[in-house]
Amino acid sequence: MPERTQESTRESAQESTQAYWDTRHRRHDELASGGHIGLDRAGNEIFYALRVGSLLRLIGDTASPRDPLFVLDAGCGKGHFARALARCGHRVDAFDASPAAVAHCREEGGGPRYAVRELAQWHSAWLYDAVLSVDVLFHILDDAVWAASLANLASLVRLTGRLLVTDEDPPARVPRGDYILHRTAAEYRAVVEPLGLHYGGFTPYGFRENRVGFHLFTRTS
């Protein structure tokens, strides 16, 4: 396929995905839009609580006002995780590609600083103690866009800092529907480890039938 045609196809796919998520954020409440649309509100509250608990165990739940942890929530949706981490004393930057989601975040406030960006577009004057991207990367079907997004997030982690990205941990790729592609840990490691981060393993959510969990990387060089 000619390069220009490939690029056009990639841009069309990205626009379709962005339109899907912006519409979803407009139609559903602050939990279902970034949670599980098949669950009722009580189910989504449990789902979010379990994931927040996992994040706090992996990142830490305390921070000194004089020396806060700097956290980036990449693909923050309507900001549930960003606000939860800010309440624990962390200083949080958060962004999402959906203008509707970011508008909701700004209305809610709660401490984080918000922006409209794509994963590969975020740049910062400082590095972060923790960079997280929850239930975002497996919605990127194009491998080049996925790899560029993941590499950019990894580049934002300071020395000894952590990168937490979520996906399943399958032995081979698992596509589901029009907006999901679960990749293997080996694919994540192939992108992230050459950038100086060490793979620390997979921590599943442990929520009902959900097979997604956190892939943890720590910058060592």
Side-chain angles (χ1 to χ4, degrees):
M1 183 182 295
E3 184 176 342
R4 181 169 297 179
T5 302
Q6 287 181 326
E7 184 65 26
S8 297
T9 301
R10 180 176 297 134
E11 290 176 357
S12 177
Q14 285 181 261
E15 289 172 0
S16 177
T17 300
Q18 289 170 3
Y20 166 80
W21 281 105
D22 203 50
T23 299
R24 177 165 163 170
H25 284 304
R26 292 178 188 279
R27 289 181 176 176
H28 296 280
D29 68 23
E30 72 278 8
L31 297 183
S33 65
H36 193 314
I37 57 176
L39 296 175
D40 60 14
R41 186 172 181 85
N44 266 310
E45 286 177 347
I46 296 170
F47 188 30
Y48 271 95
L50 285 172
R51 289 182 291 171
V52 169
S54 293
L55 281 171
L56 293 177
R57 285 192 298 273
L58 294 167
I59 295 173
D61 60 358
T62 58
S64 166
R66 293 186 178 181
D67 189 23
L69 294 181
F70 286 80
V71 179
L72 176 65
D73 185 356
C76 65
K78 289 185 174 177
H80 187 94
F81 298 117
R83 289 190 296 275
L85 293 171
R87 286 194 297 271
C88 291
H90 299 310
R91 184 171 178 179
V92 183
D93 287 339
F95 68 90
D96 197 274
S98 167
V102 173
H104 177 89
C105 289
R106 287 171 173 161
E107 289 175 3
E108 291 289 322
R113 298 179 297 184
Y114 297 106
V116 178
R117 295 285 192 285
E118 294 180 17
L119 296 186
Q121 295 178 336
W122 181 261
H123 302 291
S124 172
W126 51 80
L127 298 177
Y128 295 92
D129 297 288
V131 174
L132 59 109
S133 189
V134 181
D135 294 357
V136 179
L137 286 162
F138 57 77
H139 290 293
I140 301 176
L141 305 187
D142 185 277
D143 285 332
V145 175
W146 172 83
S149 299
L150 180 58
N152 187 50
L153 298 184
S155 75
L156 297 165
V157 180
R158 72 164 179 82
L159 188 63
T160 74
R162 292 183 168 186
L163 171 68
L164 296 109
V165 293
T166 68
D167 205 326
E168 291 188 0
D169 189 23
R173 288 184 166 203
V174 180
R176 289 199 176 99
D178 296 329
Y179 296 103
I180 293 176
L181 175 59
H182 294 296
R183 295 175 173 87
T184 67
E187 291 179 87
Y188 280 88
R189 296 179 68 173
V191 173
V192 175
E193 288 185 330
L195 301 176
L197 287 85
H198 172 75
Y199 184 57
F202 177 74
T203 302
Y205 291 159
F207 178 70
R208 301 182 183 178
E209 78 287 352
N210 197 297
R211 298 178 182 177
V212 177
F214 293 94
H215 290 289
L216 171 65
F217 294 87
T218 303
R219 179 170 293 286
T220 56
S221 63

